[in-house]
Amino acid sequence: MIDSILDLLGAASLLVGAAFGVVGALGVLRFPDVYTRTHAASKAGTLGSGFCLLAVALGTESIDVATRAAVAIIFFMLTAPVSAHLLARAAFRAGYPSDCAENAYLAEVERQSAADEAERAEDVTAR
């Protein structure tokens, strides 16, 4: 009885994970700029891989495999947002334009970036 419930939950989790993966891939193909593509890849990819690993954990009878799957889920949840942020920041600093008309957050980041560069220039001239 419990085995069949775990099998059904695992199958449902695998289907949900696959759906998130497909939605993330479509987002990467359809979104207009690097920032929204990064968002689609990181969010949907993390959820898709998390649900697929949950299906592995639910479908296995080995506690070793379930533990590794749980650790991998935690690893994805911790690293994917950080890597997406770093990629978007690198794209912004490299000068990739945004399709957004006027984005207050990007304007603030640009202002802060200019202030950081001016501060570095002052430090160099002060030496």
Side-chain angles (χ1 to χ4, degrees):
M1 178 70 178
I2 294 207
D3 288 337
S4 62
I5 291 174
L6 287 178
D7 287 342
L8 287 174
L9 286 175
S13 179
L14 190 60
L15 287 174
V16 170
F20 271 112
V22 168
V23 168
L26 288 175
V28 169
L29 291 174
R30 298 286 299 164
F31 283 151
D33 61 356
V34 68
Y35 307 107
T36 53
R37 289 177 183 165
T38 304
H39 177 78
S42 68
K43 302 302 181 230
T46 301
L47 284 172
S49 61
F51 275 110
C52 288
L53 284 167
L54 180 64
V56 168
L58 291 173
T60 187
E61 295 186 9
S62 172
I63 197 74
D64 297 351
V65 175
T67 304
R68 288 181 190 151
V71 169
I73 291 170
I74 293 168
F75 178 77
F76 276 126
M77 294 294 176
L78 291 175
T79 59
V82 174
S83 63
H85 172 76
L86 291 175
L87 284 171
R89 184 178 174 102
F92 180 77
R93 288 189 174 222
Y96 284 95
S98 172
D99 261 8
C100 300
E102 178 59 31
N103 190 329
Y105 175 73
L106 288 178
E108 175 63 23
V109 170
E110 187 175 72
R111 186 195 63 75
Q112 184 64 38
S113 179
D116 290 346
E117 288 182 24
E119 186 177 313
R120 274 189 239 122
E122 287 178 12
D123 289 343
V124 169
T125 58
R127 293 183 191 176

